[in-house]
Amino acid sequence: MDYNKLLNRTVLDTKPSGIRKFFDIAEKMNNVISLGVGEPDFATPWHIRQAGIQSLEDKKTRYTANRGIAQLRNEISKYLLKRFDLDYNPDGDILITVGGSEGIDCAVRAIVNPGDEVIIPQPSFVCYEPIVRLAGGVPVFIETVAENEFRLTADQLKKAITEKTKLLILPYPCNPTGAIMTAEDLEAIAAVLRDTDILILSDEIYCELTYGENHVSIASIDGMKERTVLIGGFSKSYSMTGWRMGYACADVEIMKQMVKIHQFAIMSAPTTSQYAAVEAIKNGDEDVARMRNQYDARRRLMVNGFNKIGLTCFEPKGAFYAFPCIKSTGLSSDEFCEQLLKRYNVAVIPGSAFGECGDGYIRASYCYSVEHIEEALRRIELFINELKG
Amino acid sequence: MNVKLLSLLEENARYSLEELALMLGSDEKTVACEIDELRNSGVIRGYRTLINWDKVDNAHVTAIIELKLTPQPDAGFEDLAEKIMGFDHVESVYLMSGGYDLCVIVTGQSFQGVAMFVAKRLAPIAGVVSTATHFVLRKYKDNGVEMQDTEHDDRESFSF
């Protein structure tokens, strides 16, 4: 059979992730020291794991309501009000999803018609573009730059808007750049959108991981909530990546449509994980604070390390990545990462994996112990010195 | 008081001034001054190494001893606590709520040595009403550190 003729054209045309080849190289090597992961190094706090175990002992092993258990939606509603001054009705506006990613997929599919343009600032998380394309949307990229702390500006946004613009994806705090948007930055974006019908998909999965100032949600800005789908989740904040627990919040009319997709594609998010998530959001504040403090210390260490080596690094204020510039080496991101991996056994991700404009940068995660980070930096320094000759 | 500095030192007392300054977003001179102050004011009591003695051939025994005391006129338990903590074998002394008064952690080279220490040194002290000695058989976690072999990182090398 000629599968190339049989299978879905859009899927066939979707490129597999660019880091696949690095995987293959790393797999065959010993002693690889990686800064490549996008997940915390902490185990899920024990009281949260226990809550999951308890739910199994209590025979909570069935489907839940499509939207997720009421208790969890209630807790999320309370949390968003307390933490970010957002008022979402737990019975109409909140959907429990399989990780943040499912929420992104549901939102895009519920909003985008074929041919609609979706604005995506880059470098940013890898899933936006394929999800938009699979929904028949047309991605329109905006290149955010280090000189501007990788923020999206009102001017850039204005220039990208056309009659076909349906949705803006707002990926802050940002993976891979570590950029955040302050209330002032968001106000400028809101001013551009206020008199339009453009919707926003605000991916706030890293909202608990900001250093210095608290995260602000665009939904808390005047006139924005009605047009925003907010994506949140437990993976990064509570170190729960494998539990696949996320949520989406939106106006009830948008949510009704998203729930249909979720209901037919997923049924309900994993039951065990939902009960664990209730424990996390009710009693996990201390864990979040402890982990945030650790990330903050490692962040400073890593950023300083890169700058000292001569790889200029913008100070990330959120998430858990450093995004240093490697243009001074004359190599592309891909070449840099491949050589670094093969010669010094250090794994980092090329910036180009997060959009073409990410070329010239690498993403290094600081979800590792201090010793690990220092050893990786030591090897990167040797590599840079060797390149200099 | 610089709680972040203390947390870092508690996590790893061997961080250099440079590392500490970087992680705190401060400078080495300031950090050095802060550490001096914390030492002088008695907040930092010392720096020690966490050792898993089970892995060392040298026999090493730990016991937790519950002491019931008769409080002394005027001094309460203070005088007795001071007498007890003077012994080199005594690692920790805590005043407790609940069923007994002092928790004394004693280390020695053999079960017998520790038992003799309790019988000959602690029990006869005037004011000690009774002792109950519990030997530690295995330390799973000590001072916040797991004593088993280090877990390996089971994450993939790459993920987005």
Side-chain angles (χ1 to χ4, degrees):
Chain A
M1 292 178 112
D2 186 357
Y3 292 113
N4 264 317
K5 281 187 184 145
L6 286 170
L7 301 181
N8 177 279
R9 182 50 42 207
T10 315
V11 178
L12 285 170
D13 290 344
T14 302
K15 281 176 273 166
S17 135
I19 60 165
R20 190 65 244 174
K21 72 170 179 194
F22 296 104
F23 254 120
D24 297 339
I25 301 170
E27 225 171 25
K28 293 188 194 101
M29 294 172 69
N30 292 319
N31 190 22
V32 170
I33 182 157
S34 175
L35 299 177
V37 301
E39 60 179 328
D41 55 328
F42 305 102
T44 305
W46 179 226
H47 65 104
I48 299 172
R49 282 184 278 155
Q50 269 180 318
I53 295 166
Q54 188 61 49
S55 77
L56 291 171
E57 291 191 356
D58 295 343
K59 301 185 187 145
K60 304 266 172 56
T61 56
R62 305 213 158 89
Y63 297 129
T64 69
N66 292 136
R67 293 164 185 270
I69 56 176
Q71 204 187 352
L72 180 55
R73 282 181 279 123
N74 287 333
E75 290 299 334
I76 289 170
S77 173
K78 279 196 269 180
Y79 159 85
L80 290 172
L81 186 63
K82 178 184 76 178
R83 193 82 174 78
F84 304 111
D85 199 24
L86 295 168
D87 186 8
Y88 284 107
N89 175 5
D91 297 322
D93 306 344
I94 299 179
L95 171 68
I96 310 300
T97 56
V98 180
S101 310
E102 194 227 334
I104 296 168
D105 188 39
C106 283
V108 169
R109 285 205 273 165
I111 291 168
V112 172
N113 281 313
D116 284 348
E117 291 181 357
V118 178
I119 298 176
I120 307 175
Q122 285 186 330
S124 63
F125 187 49
V126 294
C127 87
Y128 306 131
E129 179 188 348
I131 285 178
V132 165
R133 287 199 195 279
L134 288 168
V138 180
V140 174
F141 301 113
I142 293 181
E143 180 181 339
T144 62
V145 293
E147 296 72 48
N148 219 343
E149 301 186 342
F150 292 107
R151 290 171 299 181
L152 173 67
T153 67
D155 273 350
Q156 287 179 305
L157 179 58
K158 268 186 227 159
K159 281 185 200 141
I161 290 175
T162 72
E163 280 177 357
K164 290 183 181 162
T165 305
K166 171 63 75 68
L167 177 68
L168 164 68
I169 294 181
L170 203 58
Y172 296 96
C174 183
N175 167 12
T177 61
I180 61 166
M181 295 278 280
T182 63
E184 211 182 356
D185 300 329
L186 292 172
E187 184 51 58
I189 298 300
V192 177
L193 298 180
R194 204 163 272 135
D195 298 322
T196 71
D197 279 334
I198 298 171
L199 300 171
I200 304 170
L201 174 63
S202 187
D203 183 355
E204 305 181 22
I205 192 83
Y206 290 98
C207 66
E208 283 291 349
L209 299 179
T210 60
Y211 311 102
E213 44 196 310
N214 269 339
H215 171 72
V216 180
S217 172
I218 185 124
S220 67
I221 289 173
D222 189 36
M224 293 299 109
K225 184 168 169 258
E226 63 192 40
R227 70 180 70 236
T228 299
V229 179
L230 181 156
I231 302 294
F234 293 81
S235 297
K236 319 293 180 179
S237 314
Y238 302 95
S239 203
M240 290 178 73
T241 44
W243 299 78
R244 311 308 306 123
M245 262 292 100
Y247 55 86
C249 307
D251 183 273
V252 65
E253 292 304 321
I254 303 178
M255 192 48 79
K256 272 186 201 161
Q257 308 311 317
M258 288 176 61
V259 168
K260 281 194 236 166
I261 301 170
H262 172 80
Q263 154 185 322
F264 293 126
I266 300 288
M267 191 73 78
S268 61
T271 303
T272 314
S273 304
Q274 292 191 52
Y275 284 98
V278 170
E279 171 65 20
I281 201 162
K282 268 172 85 172
N283 300 315
D285 288 0
E286 269 181 41
D287 304 302
V288 176
R290 176 177 51 87
M291 293 190 272
R292 185 193 300 118
N293 277 337
Q294 295 235 6
Y295 293 136
D296 191 17
R298 300 166 183 184
R299 173 184 75 106
R300 295 169 195 277
L301 201 69
M302 182 175 267
V303 171
N304 183 276
F306 277 123
N307 280 321
K308 241 165 83 182
I309 293 168
L311 301 179
T312 319
C313 190
F314 143 82
E315 188 193 337
K317 302 224 173 85
F320 38 52
Y321 311 100
F323 200 63
C325 178
I326 52 116
K327 289 176 187 164
S328 60
T329 63
L331 299 174
S332 73
S333 293
D334 249 36
E335 291 162 347
F336 183 97
C337 294
E338 191 170 342
Q339 290 183 28
L340 178 63
L341 180 57
K342 284 183 171 162
R343 309 225 306 250
Y344 288 92
N345 297 22
V346 177
V348 293
I349 295 191
S352 50
F354 303 93
E356 269 174 40
C357 60
D359 195 19
Y361 294 85
I362 56 170
R363 191 195 78 174
S365 157
Y366 45 85
C367 288
Y368 295 94
S369 70
V370 169
E371 294 78 15
H372 185 106
I373 292 170
E374 287 180 337
E375 173 60 19
L377 286 170
R378 196 186 62 81
R379 294 188 194 186
I380 295 172
E381 185 170 18
L382 291 175
F383 175 55
I384 298 295
N385 288 340
E386 187 191 298
L387 286 177
K388 281 184 197 154
Chain B
M1 189 173 309
N2 198 330
V3 178
K4 278 192 181 163
L5 171 59
L6 288 172
S7 307
L8 283 172
L9 286 173
E10 195 178 32
E11 174 187 298
N12 183 354
R14 293 187 59 176
Y15 282 141
S16 65
L17 283 178
E18 188 192 1
E19 288 169 316
L20 290 169
L22 278 173
M23 289 192 276
L24 292 164
S26 179
D27 58 82
E28 290 180 40
K29 215 172 145 190
T30 313
V31 174
C33 287
E34 280 179 324
I35 291 177
D36 281 347
E37 266 171 43
L38 290 165
R39 274 216 78 129
N40 292 337
S41 61
V43 173
I44 293 177
R45 307 298 304 186
Y47 304 93
R48 302 177 75 187
T49 303
L50 294 170
I51 297 168
N52 183 357
W53 282 104
D54 291 349
K55 290 204 148 195
V56 182
D57 289 339
N58 236 356
H60 194 90
V61 174
T62 307
I64 293 168
I65 297 147
E66 301 174 3
L67 292 187
K68 285 187 183 160
L69 309 175
T70 316
Q72 308 294 296
D74 300 330
F77 295 123
E78 300 294 308
D79 283 358
L80 279 170
E82 267 180 43
K83 262 184 206 163
I84 289 164
M85 70 193 198
F87 294 109
D88 287 344
H89 283 315
V90 172
E91 177 99 4
S92 313
V93 179
Y94 308 130
L95 179 63
M96 308 298 288
S97 66
Y100 61 99
D101 303 307
L102 282 191
C103 170
V104 179
I105 298 176
V106 173
T107 57
Q109 297 200 327
S110 67
F111 286 90
Q112 211 193 358
V114 171
M116 293 313 286
F117 172 76
V118 175
K120 291 196 167 159
R121 302 282 181 211
L122 293 186
I125 296 173
V128 173
V129 178
S130 71
T131 69
T133 304
H134 307 278
F135 284 104
V136 173
L137 300 181
R138 183 167 174 195
K139 291 183 183 174
Y140 295 101
K141 190 176 182 183
D142 206 16
N143 288 289
V145 175
E146 290 183 16
M147 290 287 127
Q148 299 126 323
D149 288 327
T150 330
E151 280 178 56
H152 82 286
D153 188 343
D154 59 0
R155 293 175 295 171
E156 302 282 348
S157 302
F158 298 96
S159 64
F160 289 120

